[in-house]
């Protein structure tokens, strides 16, 4: 399902087309299960409550998603799934990342309902760390879904990544060059494969060099072109040897 197809089917689902709604829910079932498993830090099946909560959140995302938000549908869905699960954990008293709800005094000090400055500070630090981690997981899941459109897998990235630093940097520069050409980008999105000959002519790089690292270059291009993968882009620039 490409971006335009997704846009249209969501529009139909929002207008009351139940068949379109079921198509969206069915298409992203594995996404929901993956997100719920990552958030709960354990393997889940569809017999678990958390999975059903995630699917219900996806259903809500269909109703409330608006392109004007500036977010991809899966990014928005991730946020809703995360919020619904956090609410569920709080109600079930399983959500213990922030221990602020009870407001118990430390070592018998303070009055009922009070928390020390240290408790608030520590809770905020943990909350910020969790938020950052959740955003990164969200980007990884979104990146996974984008790679699948081009018959690539997130899990194969370590295997297709060039072993030498110079080669990785050259591939990254090729990807950057590609991303600056509207014509090349249009061909990529239309045919769902890297136009190697066109990139060779545009960049002056031998075709054999591009072919040898085709998958890695394509994976980096997909990352660079997506507007909602800023954390992963930063990782590629720093941890990915981009200077």
């Amino acid at each position: 399902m490409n971006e335009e197809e997704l846009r249209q089917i969501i529009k139909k689902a929002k207008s009351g087309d139940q068949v379109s709604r079921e198509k969206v829910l069915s298409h992203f079932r594995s996404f929901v299960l993956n997100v719920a498993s990552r958030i709960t830090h354990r393997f889940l099946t569809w017999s678990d409550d958390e999975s059903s909560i995630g699917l219900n959140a996806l259903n809500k995302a269909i109703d409330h998603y608006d392109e004007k938000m500036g977010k991809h549908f899966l990014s928005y869905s991730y946020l809703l799934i995360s919020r619904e699960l956090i609410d569920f954990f709080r109600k079930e008293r399983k959500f213990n990342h922030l221990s602020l709800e009870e407001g118990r005094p430390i070592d018998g000090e303070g009055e009922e309902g009070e928390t020390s400055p240290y408790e608030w500070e520590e809770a905020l630090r943990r909350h910020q760390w969790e938020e950052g981690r959740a955003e990164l997981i969200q980007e990884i899941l979104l990146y996974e879904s984008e790679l699948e459109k081009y018959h690539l897998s997130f899990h194969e990235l370590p295997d297709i990544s060039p072993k030498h630093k110079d080669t990785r940097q050259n591939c990254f520069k090729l990807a950057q060059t590609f991303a600056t050409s509207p014509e090349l980008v249009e061909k990529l999105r239309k045919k769902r494969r890297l136009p190697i000959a066109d990139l060779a002519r545009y960049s002056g790089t031998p075709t054999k060099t591009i072919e040898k690292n085709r998958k890695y270059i394509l994976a980096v291009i997909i990352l660079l072109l997506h507007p909602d993968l800023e954390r992963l882009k930063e990782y590629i620039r720093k941890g990915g040897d981009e200077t």
Side-chain angles (χ1 to χ4, degrees):
M1 188 183 297
N2 60 39
E3 296 299 319
E4 182 58 30
E5 288 173 338
L6 178 61
R7 190 177 297 111
Q8 292 301 322
I9 201 169
I10 289 176
K11 185 177 180 180
K12 290 179 180 178
K14 286 168 67 76
S15 65
D17 186 340
Q18 194 60 33
V19 173
S20 295
R21 182 177 294 272
E22 289 300 325
K23 282 183 180 179
V24 176
L25 295 176
S26 176
H27 186 77
F28 291 115
R29 276 175 68 86
S30 60
F31 172 79
V32 170
L33 198 59
N34 200 349
V35 171
S37 294
R38 290 185 185 238
I39 291 174
T40 58
H41 308 295
R42 66 187 181 87
F43 176 78
L44 296 176
T45 68
W46 287 108
S47 62
D48 293 300
D49 291 339
E50 292 90 340
S51 303
S52 298
I53 291 168
L55 195 62
N56 287 334
L58 178 65
N59 194 39
K60 290 182 180 179
I62 294 173
D63 292 323
H64 300 292
Y65 177 67
D66 188 338
E67 290 179 15
K68 295 178 182 178
M69 297 174 179
K71 285 185 175 291
H72 189 278
F73 175 71
L74 290 185
S75 295
Y76 180 67
S77 299
Y78 180 94
L79 292 176
L80 258 63
I81 294 170
S82 178
R83 288 172 188 168
E84 292 289 327
L85 285 173
I86 288 173
D87 286 343
F88 170 72
F89 293 146
R90 280 176 174 155
K91 290 175 183 176
E92 296 293 314
R93 307 188 70 81
K94 294 178 183 176
F95 187 69
N96 297 317
H97 294 303
L98 298 179
S99 55
L100 298 179
E101 295 177 23
E102 307 225 353
R104 292 185 299 240
I106 300 178
D107 298 328
E109 296 179 1
E111 296 181 4
E112 186 68 24
E114 292 183 350
T115 52
S116 73
Y118 173 78
E119 281 181 297
W120 281 102
E121 224 172 89
E122 178 64 13
L124 180 59
R125 184 188 67 78
R126 290 182 184 179
H127 177 61
Q128 289 172 335
W129 184 88
E130 283 293 331
E131 275 195 335
R133 183 178 182 279
E135 287 175 6
L136 181 59
I137 292 174
Q138 172 191 345
E139 288 195 12
I140 290 173
L141 292 169
L142 184 54
Y143 188 34
E144 282 180 333
S145 69
E146 289 297 308
L147 288 172
E148 287 175 1
K149 297 175 184 178
Y150 296 86
H151 309 291
L152 292 175
S153 167
F154 182 81
H155 301 291
E156 71 176 313
L157 293 184
D159 295 326
I160 65 176
S161 176
K163 300 298 183 285
H164 298 291
K165 176 179 178 179
D166 289 346
T167 304
R168 289 195 299 273
Q169 288 181 332
N170 288 335
C171 287
F172 188 90
K173 289 174 182 176
L174 271 174
Q176 286 181 311
T177 298
F178 186 101
T180 61
S181 169
E183 181 183 349
L184 292 179
V185 171
E186 179 63 26
K187 285 187 176 182
L188 174 66
R189 287 175 170 163
K190 186 177 181 179
K191 298 184 177 181
R192 298 291 180 182
R193 64 174 182 270
L194 186 66
I196 295 175
D198 293 315
L199 177 57
R201 286 193 296 271
Y202 188 78
S203 65
T205 305
T207 301
K208 288 184 178 180
T209 301
I210 299 175
E211 177 61 41
K212 184 178 180 180
N213 299 291
R214 174 182 61 83
K215 286 188 174 183
Y216 181 73
I217 295 170
L218 178 56
V220 176
I221 290 171
I222 293 168
L223 177 63
L224 293 178
L225 290 176
H226 204 288
D228 295 329
L229 301 176
E230 293 305 317
R231 284 177 176 268
L232 287 178
K233 289 176 189 176
E234 191 64 24
Y235 169 77
I236 291 294
R237 293 188 184 102
K238 293 181 179 179
D241 300 321
E242 172 63 5
T243 57

